[in-house]
Amino acid sequence: MAQTNSTDLMVVQDLIKYFPVKSGLLQRITANVKAVDGVSFTVKSGECLGMVGESGCGKSTIGRTILRLIEPTAGSVFFEGQDIAKADTKTLKAMRRNMQIIFQDPYSSLDPRVPIGESIGEGLLIHGIRNFRERNRIVVDMLKKVGMEEYHSRRYPHEFSGGQRQRIGIARALALRPKFIVCDEPVSALDVSIQAQVLNILRDLQHEFGLTYLFIAHNMSVVEHISDRVAVMYLGKMVELTGREEIFREPMHPYTQALMSAIPIPDPKIKRTRIILKGDVPSPLNPPSGCHFHTRCPVAQLDVCSVKDPEWREVKPGHWVACHFA
């Protein structure tokens, strides 16, 4: 586990989330999908921590579990020193005012039968702001912060484009003035030009309100643009964590190196040496023993990697890797 200090807003220790698989007439648990399998990291106040990895590696599950939208199987999640995993309903409600999420699909996360002004203001009502005029003032203010107008608050979700709906999701997350926001692939479904607009809005709002982000994404260029540090996930485990410039300049884990080699260079005269991984991603129902990556790793030594789980260790100041040979 990484050493913590007073600047850490959130501390995640040995987080585990298994989804049971039931079968038979009595629906007994016969196996577990190991979506998140012992992940530890910290998020510093005011930073943007990018989280990348292949589909199904557990990124979104981590984001939802640390907010307790999904209950963790084991582990601890501390937000400003309070353990979210052990908080009762009343305490968790108070803490959630400071923790919000921007969902990946901006349409399904909005109620199609409710004007977007009411969707944005719902959290304000739940957290005690009963005065309609005060709620409406905050809703209009948040809409203007994301580049929309007051009259938009009376329209329904189907009347907006994908980029506008994502702006609405950002406004809703900001309405309570939280300290921490999980951005769950907020630009993956948008056109490139709209992605840039949304990313710039997120950056501007981060500086204006002093926000802290956990930014989950597939696109390495997006992560490079917005993140201060980058965490790399593979099959439910974190394999590397360090600063943005460090990880793009000198990735140490073989999986991170393969990811970096796949980033296109916008210059036809420059050719990057691709690292092609063999085989497919193993199933989280039955992950490989030892290092989960050893079945595809180009430098694996089976007598070690297939037997022993690599230690999560700091190989350089601020550079954490889970690899026997990093």
Side-chain angles (χ1 to χ4, degrees):
M1 172 60 200
Q3 185 178 357
T4 63
N5 56 57
S6 58
T7 64
D8 294 330
L9 183 70
M10 178 165 285
V11 180
V12 179
Q13 297 179 342
D14 301 318
L15 183 66
I16 294 174
K17 178 58 187 178
Y18 293 168
F19 292 98
V21 176
K22 298 179 181 179
S23 61
L25 185 63
L26 299 177
Q27 289 292 288
R28 291 176 176 168
I29 297 174
T30 56
N32 285 295
V33 176
K34 298 179 179 179
V36 180
D37 197 8
V39 170
S40 299
F41 62 96
T42 63
V43 185
K44 295 179 172 61
S45 180
E47 80 164 342
C48 177
L49 175 64
M51 186 170 286
V52 298
E54 293 170 274
S55 295
C57 69
K59 306 184 301 296
S60 294
T61 303
I62 287 178
R64 292 168 186 247
T65 304
I66 63 177
L67 299 182
R68 265 186 68 183
L69 298 178
I70 301 173
E71 291 293 330
T73 303
S76 301
V77 181
F78 293 93
F79 180 79
E80 295 187 317
Q82 289 184 285
D83 192 349
I84 298 171
K86 296 180 180 178
D88 57 29
T89 304
K90 184 177 180 181
T91 304
L92 186 61
K93 180 181 177 181
M95 294 172 72
R96 278 189 170 148
R97 183 165 189 149
N98 287 316
M99 301 183 298
Q100 294 293 311
I101 184 169
I102 301 169
F103 292 99
Q104 179 178 357
D105 185 347
Y107 188 69
S108 65
S109 62
L110 295 169
D111 189 336
R113 299 165 297 180
V114 175
I116 61 107
E118 290 186 31
S119 292
I120 295 171
E122 184 178 13
L124 299 169
L125 182 63
I126 290 170
H127 285 275
I129 300 178
R130 304 289 180 185
N131 186 284
F132 173 78
R133 288 186 178 180
E134 175 67 9
R135 288 203 311 275
N136 189 61
R137 183 192 65 78
I138 295 172
V139 168
V140 171
D141 185 43
M142 289 301 104
L143 283 173
K144 289 183 176 179
K145 291 288 185 187
V146 298
M148 301 183 75
E149 298 298 332
E150 180 178 354
Y151 66 86
H152 287 134
S153 66
R154 297 183 290 274
R155 293 185 176 180
Y156 290 83
H158 72 272
E159 298 180 75
F160 297 96
S161 67
Q164 288 176 315
R165 285 196 289 260
Q166 197 58 282
R167 293 178 188 220
I168 293 164
I170 294 170
R172 182 174 59 179
L174 283 172
L176 288 164
R177 296 292 179 91
K179 297 178 181 179
F180 176 73
I181 298 179
V182 173
C183 305
D184 186 9
E185 301 190 36
V187 298
S188 62
L190 306 178
D191 293 336
V192 174
S193 60
I194 305 301
Q195 284 186 12
Q197 293 176 17
V198 172
L199 288 173
N200 289 332
I201 288 170
L202 288 171
R203 286 291 282 197
D204 293 342
L205 292 171
Q206 182 183 20
H207 294 147
E208 182 176 350
F209 296 117
L211 298 170
T212 303
Y213 292 147
L214 174 63
F215 193 93
I216 298 166
H218 283 109
N219 191 323
M220 299 297 290
S221 299
V222 168
V223 171
E224 185 178 15
H225 175 72
I226 198 170
S227 301
D228 298 302
R229 290 189 301 151
V230 179
V232 182
M233 292 285 298
Y234 181 81
L235 204 63
K237 288 184 176 288
M238 192 171 286
V239 297
E240 189 161 2
L241 171 63
T242 189
R244 175 192 60 201
E245 294 181 1
E246 176 79 7
I247 204 163
F248 280 89
R249 183 180 68 248
E250 191 181 359
M252 291 191 174
H253 195 282
Y255 178 63
T256 312
Q257 293 168 359
L259 285 181
M260 297 301 173
S261 76
I263 302 174
I265 300 174
D267 188 339
K269 297 178 181 179
I270 301 175
K271 292 186 178 180
R272 193 193 297 271
T273 303
R274 284 293 310 275
I275 300 174
I276 308 297
L277 299 178
K278 57 186 179 182
D280 297 321
V281 181
S283 170
L285 268 171
N286 186 27
S289 60
C291 176
H292 286 184
F293 186 59
H294 84 262
T295 58
R296 306 174 73 198
C297 182
V299 299
Q301 297 183 18
L302 294 182
D303 57 334
V304 176
C305 299
S306 64
V307 177
K308 187 179 180 182
D309 196 12
E311 179 186 357
W312 180 242
R313 57 196 176 94
E314 191 174 22
V315 294
K316 292 170 63 177
H319 196 149
W320 295 79
V321 183
C323 178
H324 296 297
F325 306 108

